[in-house]
Amino acid sequence: MKLTFCWLMALLGVTQAHAATPPAYSIQTLAGSSLTGDGGPATAAQLGNIQGVASDRLGNLYLADTDNHRIRKVAADGIITTIAGTGTAGFSGDNGPAAAAQLNLPYGLATDLSGNLYVADLGNNRVRRIAPDGAIATVAGGGTDAAAADGALATGVPLLTPRNVATDAAGNLYISEFSGHRVRKVTTDGKIWTAAGTGIAGYWGDGGLAANAQLAFPAGLGVDRNGNLYIADSQNQRIRKILPGNVMSTALGGSPSTRLYTPIAVAVDSASTIFVGDSSQTVHSYTVAGVWSLVAGTGAPGYWGDGGPAAAAKLAGVHDLAVDLTGTLYIADGVRVRSVDHSRVIHTLAGDGYLHAVGDGGAATSAQLYRPSAIVLDHSGNLFVADTGTQRVRQVAPSGVIVTVAGTGVAGYNGDQGPASGALLNSPAGVALDGAGSLVVADTVNQRIRKVAGGVVSTVLGTGTAGSGPQNTAPLETPVRSPAGVCLDLAGNLYVADTLNNRVLRAPAGGPVATAAGNGAAGSQGDGGPARTAQLNLPGACTTDAAGDLYIADTGNHLIRKVTAAGIVSTVAGTGSPGGEGDEGPATAAALSAPRGVAVDGSGNVFIADTGNSRIRMVTSDGVIHNIAGSGAAGFAGDGGAALSAQLNAPAGLLVDGSGDVYIADSGNNRIRRLTPLPPAPPIQPAQAPPALVLNAATMAPGAVAPGELVTIGGEGLGPQSGVAGLFDSAGLVANLVAGTEVDFDGVAAPVFYTEYSQVTVQVPYTVAGNATTRMAVMYLGQPAAAATVSVADAAPGLFPQVFNQDGSANTALNPAPRGSTMVLYGTGEGLRNGANVTGLPQAAPYANPRQPVFLTIGGAMAFLAFSGAAPGQVGVMQVNAVVPDALPPGQNAVVLGLGTASSPAVSVWLQ
C-alpha cells in the first residue's frame, strides 16, 4: 500500500461537501465590494464600527476598523490607507507584512515612543505589534499555559478577550482582559504580570494592592505622565486608578454627582486631565483639580454638530478615545472619528458614514454596502436590498447599476407621503414586494412597516412606538417591536416578523392585524398545535410558498418553523440547540445556528441562511438537509468557483428565482452574492473505461463501500508513473484534481489523497448514503481511465494494521501492550456519523460518533471502548481507544472491529 497511514494522519486539508439531491452551485458577487476609500481623503472613506483609536508622535492617526478586520492610518495630510488586515477575519501573517496579515475583530490601539503600534486582536485573543517597518508579530496571547504564573512569557499564555491596550514611558504594555476581569502588564523583557484584578468579576480593593482588587469587564486604558494607570471599569460604572507601586486608588465616578454609565473609553492628556466616554453618548473630563465637565455629546444619539461646540454635538456611540501631543481629543464615534480641538470645537476627521460615497450610479460590484439584511427580486430582474447599515433600500438593475430608492443615509424618521429617496429610515432590515410591485420595508428601529409605491413612501403598519397591542386592530394602530422581516403570500396577506414581541403578524389587505404565529412569550413550544398559541424566540425573517404555507426563521430558537394554511405549526429544520452538524440526515435532527433567512422554491425545497455557521443549507422535499454553500469558516473567498468551497460571513436574507438561482445577503461581507446551479457532470460510460478494483484503504480488501470511507482504486493508467500526494488549492482545500487524476462517484467529485499509475486513494463522498450501488469513475488527463460499479453498505469497517500502545509507541512483538492498558486503533468505513458528514473535512471537537453501534473484540473478548469516533484532525479515519481485557493470554491476539452488523478483517496485536 503506497498511501501510508502516517501520511493520512498528517493530512489537514479540507475538501468540499456535496449534496445528495441538490445540484452543485457556483458563486459570484452581484453587489458590494471591499473598496472603502483607501488612498483618498479620510472624510470620504467608509468604515465599520471603530473600536480603537490612537495617535503617534508624527501626527498620524490609527483606527481599528473592527467590522472590516483592518487597521487604517490617517496621515497628517488626511489621506487614509490600510496598514494591517486583509478585510477577512482570521489569523495569519505573523513576522511578515501587516498589510498581508489577517486580524479578527481588532479593538484597542496604542503606540509607544519607538513608533510601534499595538493592536488588541480581540477575536484572536492576542495582542499584536506592528513595527515601524510594517512587520507584524504577536507579543501576548496565543499560548496554551492557562495556569502560568506571573512572570511567564506573554506569548505562552492565553488571553481572554483582550479589548484595549496602553503603553507607558518605560515601554511597558497594559492589556485589559474584558471577559477575564483583569488588566495584564507585559514588561520590556516579554514577560506578563497581573496589574489589576483577580479574574473574578466584582468591585473591591480600593486602597490595597491592585492585583488583589476586583474589576468587572475592564475596557479602556490610559497612562498619565506620572505613570498612573487608569481603567474604565465598565460594569462597576467607575474609572479605577493604579498608582505607581501597584496600589489601587479611590475610584472616580461612583457618586451621584459624577455618575458614569458603562464607561468603556478613557484617555489622559499631558496635563493629566482624564477624558471618559460612556454609553450615554457623551465625553466628560476630570482635571487634576477634581473638576468634572462635559466635553462632547448631548446624550442624544446621532450625528450632528460639526464645526460647532462639541458639547452641543450629537455622538453616535463613544467606543474609544485618544489624545495627541497637541491636546486634540479623538473620539471613535461609531463609523466615524471626530476630533475636538482646544476650543472645544468638533469636526469629523475620518469616515463618510455611508452618506455620500456609496457608489450609486455606478457598477454594483464597485459600490459599498453595509450590513445588507434582506433582498427581493421583481419580475423585471431588479434586485432590491435592505442595506441596513447605510439606512437605505438599494436597487440593482439588470444592467448591474446600483441606485438608492429609499433613505438618505441618515438614520431617523420622516418623509411619509413624500419621495422615498428623501425619507429617513432607521436600520431597515426586511424588504418584500406586493402584488402591485410596491416595495414593503421593515423599518426596524422606527417600529414601522413602510411601503414605497410610485416612488412615494408611507407607513402601512405600526405606530412608531415600540409595543404589543391586542388582536384585530387596524394596521396603523398596531404597535410592533423591532420588526426585522416582512413577506407576502399570493393572496396579498402581509406577514411581519415582529422580532422582539416573539411573534409573526398577519395583515390581510384592507383588514385588521392578527397574530399568525407566536403567543408573545419567548420559547419553542407548540409544534403540532395552533401556531397562534405556540412560542417563538426572536423570529428574524419569513417567506411563503404557493400553497399559502408560512415559513419562519425562528432565529433565537435556532429553528425553521412552518405554519400551514390551516394554522398548524411544525419544525422544518433544527433541533432547538445551536450547532452545525447533521448534513445528509433528517433536517429536524440537524443543528442550526441563529438562522436569519429562509426561502422556498417551486418544488418545496427550503433554503436556510444558517447565519451563525456562515453556510447556506437546503432541505429537500424528502426532509433531508444538505450544505450547498460555505465552508463553515466565516470569511470572504470563492467567487467564480464552487459554492461549497467559498466562505460566507453571517449570511442573512435569501431568495430563489425561477431558474433556481439563490441570492444571498452576505451581511458580514457587505455583499450580495448569487449561487448558480451547475450542470451535472456527464457520467463516464462503462464502455469507455477499463474495469478497476475498489479496495478498503486500511485492509486492501475488496467489498462494499460505505459513505465517507477511504478507498484505494487499483488499475492501470490511473495517474502519473511516480506517486503524487494530494495538494491544497488556492482556498486552502484538498484538491479533487491531483496530477491530472480525478475520481467521481455517481458524478460527485471525490477528494484525491494520492495518485500514481496503478492506484489512487480517495474518500467516498457521503452522498452515496442510501444507495444500493454507486458508479465510480476515474479520469486521467481528461480521458476515462477506469470505472466500476460497487455495492454500498451502511458500514464497511477496516482497521489499519498499525496499532499503538497507551504510551503512543507502536505495538509489536517486541513492544507488547500490558493487559488493562488502553490501545489506540485506527480504521475507516464507519459510514455516516452523528455529525456534519462533510466529505473531506478534517474532524474537530466535539468528535462525531458513528451512527452504527460500535464494538471491538481482542482475542475474542469484548473490549471496553474509552472512545470511538472521528480521529482528531483526520479525514475519513475512525479512532478507537480500547481497554485490553485482563483475562487475555500473552502473545499474539486477533482484533476485530464491528459496526452494526458488519465486521472488519482481523488485525494482530501483541500483549504482555
Side-chain angles (χ1 to χ4, degrees):
M1 184 178 70
K2 302 291 179 65
L3 178 62
T4 67
F5 177 67
C6 293
W7 188 88
L8 279 174
M9 293 295 287
L11 182 64
L12 294 177
V14 181
T15 67
Q16 62 189 46
H18 300 272
T21 301
Y25 293 86
S26 64
I27 188 168
Q28 67 180 118
T29 292
L30 298 182
S33 72
S34 58
L35 302 175
T36 54
D38 276 352
T43 51
Q46 306 300 353
L47 305 166
N49 274 314
I50 305 162
Q51 297 291 352
V53 60
S55 64
D56 67 15
R57 299 174 65 84
L58 302 177
N60 300 302
L61 186 69
Y62 301 92
L63 323 175
D65 190 358
T66 306
D67 287 356
N68 292 317
H69 312 288
R70 291 180 167 101
I71 305 300
R72 316 283 289 273
K73 174 184 175 181
V74 181
D77 61 1
I79 300 300
I80 192 169
T81 55
T82 293
I83 64 166
T86 64
T88 300
F91 174 74
S92 69
D94 264 3
N95 304 310
Q102 285 181 297
L103 307 174
N104 189 355
L105 298 176
Y107 262 64
L109 303 175
T111 59
D112 67 14
L113 297 179
S114 299
N116 296 298
L117 176 67
Y118 295 88
V119 181
D121 194 0
L122 183 142
N124 286 320
N125 289 309
R126 288 172 164 84
V127 174
R128 302 170 81 178
R129 179 181 62 212
I130 303 172
D133 64 0
I136 192 170
T138 295
V139 295
T144 58
D145 189 1
D150 277 0
L153 283 175
T155 52
V157 301
L159 295 176
L160 190 57
T161 56
R163 193 184 192 284
N164 290 83
V165 286
T167 60
D168 64 18
N172 298 303
L173 171 69
Y174 298 90
I175 306 163
S176 62
E177 286 190 279
F178 189 68
S179 299
H181 314 295
R182 293 185 297 184
V183 174
R184 312 294 289 276
K185 177 181 179 179
V186 180
T187 48
T188 54
D189 58 1
K191 294 181 179 179
I192 194 166
W193 309 82
T194 298
T198 63
I200 299 174
Y203 177 70
W204 184 85
D206 284 355
L209 284 176
N212 295 331
Q214 285 182 298
L215 307 173
F217 298 97
L221 301 173
V223 181
D224 68 17
R225 62 185 180 183
N226 298 313
N228 298 302
L229 175 67
Y230 299 87
I231 306 167
D233 194 2
S234 66
Q235 293 305 303
N236 282 323
Q237 319 300 332
R238 290 168 167 83
I239 301 299
R240 312 287 288 275
K241 178 180 179 181
I242 302 176
L243 304 171
N246 298 321
V247 174
M248 184 71 77
S249 178
T250 303
L252 305 175
S255 66
S257 62
T258 58
R259 180 70 65 192
L260 299 176
Y261 300 92
T262 317
I264 60 171
V266 64
V268 188
D269 69 10
S270 59
S272 295
T273 297
I274 307 164
F275 297 89
V276 181
D278 66 11
S279 61
S280 67
Q281 288 86 38
T282 58
V283 179
H284 286 80
S285 66
Y286 182 79
T287 67
V288 292
V291 177
W292 283 96
S293 62
L294 176 66
V295 175
T298 64
Y303 172 65
W304 184 86
D306 273 3
K314 290 183 179 180
L315 304 176
V318 182
H319 297 154
D320 198 20
L321 300 171
V323 184
D324 69 13
L325 294 177
T326 69
T328 299
L329 174 70
Y330 301 98
I331 306 171
D333 183 22
V335 294
R336 298 175 177 87
V337 174
R338 303 173 79 180
S339 64
V340 179
D341 61 22
H342 287 287
S343 301
R344 297 289 173 91
V345 174
I346 193 168
H347 300 276
T348 294
L349 187 70
D352 173 64
Y354 298 89
L355 281 178
H356 306 102
V358 293
D360 276 352
T365 51
S366 297
Q368 290 76 48
L369 305 178
Y370 188 42
R371 301 296 186 196
S373 295
I375 42 181
V376 68
L377 193 68
D378 71 11
H379 295 302
S380 299
N382 295 294
L383 181 70
F384 298 90
V385 182
D387 196 11
T388 308
T390 74
Q391 316 299 340
R392 293 172 168 90
V393 176
R394 317 281 290 276
Q395 175 186 333
V396 181
S399 64
V401 174
I402 191 169
V403 295
T404 292
V405 296
T408 67
V410 176
Y413 171 73
N414 71 14
D416 271 0
Q417 314 311 322
S421 58
L424 300 186
L425 307 175
N426 201 338
S427 299
V431 65
L433 286 165
D434 68 13
S438 300
L439 278 173
V440 181
V441 182
D443 196 0
T444 305
V445 177
N446 281 327
Q447 316 298 339
R448 290 174 165 90
I449 306 302
R450 302 173 81 177
K451 177 184 284 190
V452 179
V456 176
V457 68
S458 61
T459 296
V460 295
L461 190 149
T463 64
T465 300
S468 177
Q471 296 286 317
N472 300 313
T473 54
L476 294 179
E477 298 174 0
T478 302
V480 289
R481 190 173 309 222
S482 297
V486 286
C487 59
L488 293 102
D489 64 18
L490 295 178
N493 297 300
L494 169 66
Y495 296 89
V496 177
D498 190 7
T499 304
L500 294 188
N501 280 327
N502 301 304
R503 64 183 184 177
V504 175
L505 301 177
R506 179 177 180 268
V513 179
T515 297
N519 62 15
S524 60
Q525 302 299 312
D527 273 2
R532 287 183 297 177
T533 61
Q535 293 176 313
L536 304 175
N537 189 355
L538 303 177
C542 64
T543 194
T544 61
D545 66 14
D549 297 327
L550 171 70
Y551 295 81
I552 303 167
D554 194 359
T555 308
N557 280 325
H558 314 286
L559 299 172
I560 301 297
R561 314 283 287 276
K562 175 182 176 180
V563 180
T564 65
I568 303 301
V569 68
S570 61
T571 292
V572 172
T575 63
S577 297
E581 67 277 2
D583 283 340
E584 309 307 324
T588 52
L592 308 175
S593 180
R596 288 177 51 206
V598 60
V600 183
D601 69 11
S603 300
N605 300 303
V606 180
F607 298 81
I608 303 166
D610 194 2
T611 308
N613 288 316
S614 292
R615 297 192 296 171
I616 306 301
R617 300 169 82 177
M618 177 182 179
V619 181
T620 42
S621 54
D622 57 2
V624 174
I625 193 168
H626 316 266
N627 185 36
I628 63 169
S631 65
F636 177 73
D639 270 3
L644 281 166
S645 303
Q647 287 182 312
L648 308 172
N649 190 352
L654 295 178
L655 70 86
V656 185
D657 70 12
S659 66
D661 290 348
V662 182
Y663 296 75
I664 308 166
D666 194 1
S667 183
N669 282 322
N670 300 320
R671 287 170 168 85
I672 305 301
R673 301 172 83 180
R674 181 175 65 197
L675 308 180
T676 301
L678 295 173
I684 299 172
Q685 298 300 317
Q688 294 178 292
L693 290 173
V694 180
L695 312 173
N696 182 289
T699 65
M700 297 302 286
V705 300
E709 180 185 351
L710 297 180
V711 296
T712 295
I713 301 160
E716 294 183 352
L718 307 181
Q721 290 294 328
S722 299
V724 178
L727 299 174
F728 295 96
D729 62 20
S730 60
L733 309 178
V734 177
N736 295 325
L737 174 64
V738 176
T741 300
E742 51 191 325
V743 180
D744 71 60
F745 288 76
D746 300 325
V748 176
V752 179
F753 290 76
Y754 176 88
T755 179
E756 66 164 68
Y757 180 82
S758 61
Q759 71 170 50
V760 180
T761 298
V762 300
Q763 184 185 22
V764 178
Y766 286 104
T767 53
V768 305
N771 296 341
T773 62
T774 182
R775 180 68 178 174
M776 183 282 304
V778 182
M779 296 277 286
Y780 179 56
L781 300 178
Q783 298 299 316
T789 298
V790 292
S791 300
V792 177
D794 292 335
L799 287 170
F800 289 94
Q802 182 62 71
V803 180
F804 297 90
N805 293 334
Q806 186 166 312
D807 61 2
S809 63
N811 179 266
T812 65
L814 299 178
N815 187 33
R819 282 164 289 182
S821 66
T822 299
M823 305 182 75
V824 181
L825 304 96
Y826 295 93
T828 190
E830 69 269 33
L832 293 177
R833 298 164 170 167
N834 293 317
N837 288 315
V838 179
T839 306
L841 181 68
Q843 296 301 297
Y847 302 109
N849 300 312
R851 294 186 184 179
Q852 299 291 320
V854 183
F855 64 89
L856 186 133
T857 60
I858 304 177
M862 196 71 70
F864 171 76
L865 301 185
F867 173 82
S868 59
Q874 301 307 305
V875 177
V877 179
M878 178 184 180
Q879 178 175 326
V880 178
N881 297 354
V883 179
V884 179
D886 290 331
L888 291 177
Q892 188 176 19
N893 283 265
V895 178
V896 174
L897 172 65
L899 284 150
T901 59
S903 297
S904 72
V907 299
S908 294
V909 298
W910 298 84
L911 305 180
Q912 290 183 5

